[in-house]
Amino acid sequence: MLRDKLLPLWLLPLLIACSDQRAAFEIGTSQHSLTLIRVQNFFWDKTADYSIVAARMPDCMRRHEIGPGGAESRVEVYAPGNDAWILKQGKRMFVVETRSCEGFARLEAEPESGMGPLQGVFQMRSGTLTFVPAPQSEDATAGEATVRQ
């Protein structure tokens, strides 16, 4: 009987080991955003699973799987224009759009027209996933970025 009562205590470290963190890049307002989701099954894992949620409410919202990457990977966000966004994680690049939120594809190389201005970076800071806006230049096309965790 004592064994049955102690079992949940022994499992507790496994339950709290999972880390599911989210950070948002708000594009002008909270109704238009890209949210990176990072799931790390155990704190000792060196990898995490990543996905991106493209949203332009109330018209659309969709989650796209990026796949596994390093647990401390940075994801840079570029704005080539027309509500398209390029995500760069190490050498991997993806394009996602927020007009219909349906478009998502892996890029094999940098687009010939360029990446567009850097909007900011999703990164781990003190164990927390955050979005750090890039300093905005006068020619930035996506508007002002704000941070929401």
Side-chain angles (χ1 to χ4, degrees):
M1 188 68 162
L2 179 62
R3 187 178 186 182
D4 292 336
K5 290 181 180 179
L6 291 178
L7 182 61
L9 291 175
W10 291 335
L11 295 176
L12 187 60
L14 295 177
L15 295 175
I16 61 174
C18 181
S19 171
D20 181 341
Q21 297 189 28
R22 299 150 195 260
F25 161 49
E26 293 181 353
I27 307 160
T29 71
S30 62
Q31 300 296 311
H32 190 193
S33 64
L34 295 176
T35 302
L36 185 71
I37 301 172
R38 175 189 171 275
V39 178
Q40 186 177 12
N41 290 327
F42 300 103
F43 68 87
W44 58 81
D45 283 346
K46 297 193 183 317
T47 61
D49 290 318
Y50 292 87
S51 56
I52 192 80
V53 175
R56 189 177 48 77
M57 300 302 287
D59 298 323
C60 66
M61 181 169 67
R62 177 128 184 183
R63 181 174 175 161
H64 303 283
E65 298 299 322
I66 293 175
E72 298 292 319
S73 290
R74 296 167 33 107
V75 178
E76 300 168 349
V77 179
Y78 296 88
N82 292 331
D83 288 330
W85 310 93
I86 295 176
L87 309 173
K88 184 176 181 187
Q89 181 184 42
K91 293 181 180 183
R92 299 185 317 155
M93 290 187 293
F94 303 88
V95 63
V96 63
E97 56 83 20
T98 55
R99 283 176 307 234
S100 69
C101 302
E102 296 290 325
F104 179 79
R106 183 165 183 172
L107 298 174
E108 297 302 322
E110 186 174 315
E112 289 181 22
S113 58
M115 303 274 284
L118 176 66
Q119 299 300 297
V121 179
F122 291 102
Q123 64 186 24
M124 294 299 290
R125 282 197 168 170
S126 302
T128 303
L129 182 63
T130 59
F131 180 78
V132 180
Q136 295 294 305
S137 63
E138 292 178 18
D139 64 340
T141 59
E144 196 167 313
T146 56
V147 178
R148 186 183 71 196
Q149 295 180 12

